[in-house]
Amino acid sequence: MISDHQVLQRDSIGQANLKLEGETQLSGPITAEIRTASGSEILQNVGGAKSGGWQAALTLKTGGPYAISLSLGGEPLVDANDVYVGDLWLLAGQSNMEGYGILKDLERPEPGVNSFDMVDHWRLAEEPLHWLCDSVDPVHSVPYGNNEPEAIAEIHKTRCTGAGLGLSFAKSLRAVTGAPICLIPCAQGGTTLTQWDPKRRDEGGASLYGAMIRRARAAGGRVAGMLWYQGESDAGGRETHLYKARFTELVQHLRDDLGDPDLPVHTVQLGRFILPLDWEVAGCEEWNPFQDLQRRLAEE
């Protein structure tokens, strides 16, 4: 089915082929009404129903918002509003992607920039994008009270940080491409690349990589790319030398699992690590070499 505020991933020629199905005891042809700001269009025989089920197919061009209604013999089958065709982006990594900025003077929401939130609902994107405590995937929610209502209510009441770069990225991209954007927040603070191991895909929502793939598929199975900001937990550690091979494996598995061998993966290089001269923090001497490793990885 299709939901209010959903964003459909466009293809290489700028359109989305939408296939819908459901149950009904009726039979006959299906009629669709597609409404936009400029008017409406009635499409006859976009599908049909028999043997207790119905199927329909629509093609929508990049843009929106669309209001979509399907009916069979005068009976409504589908009624979805604020639907767009554009690009979906996975947001993955650790705290700087999850959002760690103070929730003040926030980036403003914008029509056509939506989110597939952590309870798998489509909505207008607004800060904070990541609500790990609400997530349907236990890898995110268990550390925040295991979905206990009192614990979650307290987090919603007292939270003061969580602004990140996702919304500004989406708004900037929409301004350049003209296409609607949907963000799929999947990041979690403090996580290492080992915790993002793609070999744990089959654990589904019990692993970071598995939860990300599950959410990508729940959002339609196709995305425009992934935005990755991670590395603080690996820089200067005992396994830093394994980062190149592990990140390369992550990208390869992501492209395989989503069926796109050329899927763009945009990485963010770690920022500077500045400390007073008399401080000693283990691993700091490896920070700059790790930044250079990220630079070379992107080039490769």
Side-chain angles (χ1 to χ4, degrees):
M1 297 297 289
I2 191 169
S3 301
D4 292 350
H5 317 302
Q6 186 167 349
V7 180
L8 304 168
Q9 177 59 48
R10 59 178 175 167
D11 60 19
S12 60
I13 59 174
Q15 59 188 29
N17 298 308
L18 179 61
K19 296 181 179 180
L20 301 171
E21 61 181 23
E23 297 180 354
T24 181
Q25 297 304 313
L26 302 176
S27 62
I30 294 175
T31 299
E33 181 180 6
I34 312 297
R35 301 182 301 278
T36 65
S38 59
S40 64
E41 180 181 9
I42 303 295
L43 304 175
Q44 304 287 349
N45 299 323
V46 298
K50 61 180 180 178
S51 303
W54 64 268
Q55 293 183 333
L58 298 170
T59 298
L60 301 174
K61 296 180 179 180
T62 298
Y66 295 100
I68 302 171
S69 298
L70 267 62
S71 61
L72 172 62
E75 295 293 326
L77 297 175
V78 171
D79 189 13
N81 297 291
D82 195 45
V83 176
Y84 294 87
V85 175
D87 292 327
L88 281 68
W89 284 85
L90 296 167
L91 304 181
Q94 56 182 117
S95 60
N96 281 320
M97 180 62 76
E98 179 189 338
Y100 215 68
I102 296 173
L103 295 176
K104 183 180 180 181
D105 299 327
L106 299 175
E107 190 78 35
R108 293 179 180 274
E110 178 179 296
V113 177
N114 289 5
S115 172
F116 187 58
D117 69 19
M118 303 196 81
V119 290
D120 289 1
H121 289 167
W122 303 91
R123 56 180 295 175
L124 182 70
E126 59 182 341
E127 297 282 21
L129 293 168
H130 288 77
W131 283 97
L132 275 63
C133 61
D134 295 334
S135 176
V136 297
D137 295 305
V139 68
H140 297 306
S141 60
V142 167
Y144 292 86
N146 198 24
N147 288 334
E148 297 174 3
E150 292 184 359
I152 293 175
E154 184 64 19
I155 293 172
H156 277 266
K157 180 180 178 181
T158 62
R159 185 174 184 180
C160 60
T161 61
L165 54 81
L167 185 53
S168 57
F169 165 80
K171 289 174 63 175
S172 297
L173 196 60
R174 177 153 169 69
V176 171
T177 65
I181 304 292
C182 179
L183 302 171
I184 308 176
C186 302
Q188 182 159 321
T191 52
T192 65
L193 196 52
T194 301
Q195 292 173 276
W196 283 91
D197 189 349
K199 295 185 180 68
R200 299 182 62 186
R201 177 196 60 193
D202 293 340
E203 296 179 28
S207 72
L208 291 170
Y209 184 85
M212 177 173 65
I213 295 300
R214 183 201 68 75
R215 284 173 48 68
R217 290 173 175 167
R222 295 179 60 248
V223 299
M226 178 175 76
L227 190 61
W228 175 263
Y229 195 168
Q230 189 275 340
E232 294 91 342
S233 294
D234 289 270
R238 289 180 294 178
E239 297 184 341
T240 301
H241 64 289
L242 300 175
Y243 195 89
K244 177 179 179 180
R246 287 174 172 171
F247 185 70
T248 300
E249 183 180 27
L250 174 71
V251 172
Q252 290 172 341
H253 277 271
L254 179 70
R255 289 171 171 167
D256 289 343
D257 289 332
L258 296 183
D260 185 349
D262 299 315
L263 183 74
V265 174
H266 294 262
T267 67
V268 185
Q269 187 185 49
L270 298 189
R272 294 181 296 168
F273 194 162
I274 302 174
L275 293 172
L277 291 175
D278 57 347
W279 281 32
E280 293 184 8
V281 177
C284 280
E285 66 279 0
E286 298 295 329
W287 197 264
N288 293 143
F290 189 84
Q291 289 176 305
D292 190 55
L293 168 64
Q294 290 180 312
R295 178 187 63 81
R296 288 183 282 112
L297 268 172
E299 290 178 347
E300 294 174 19

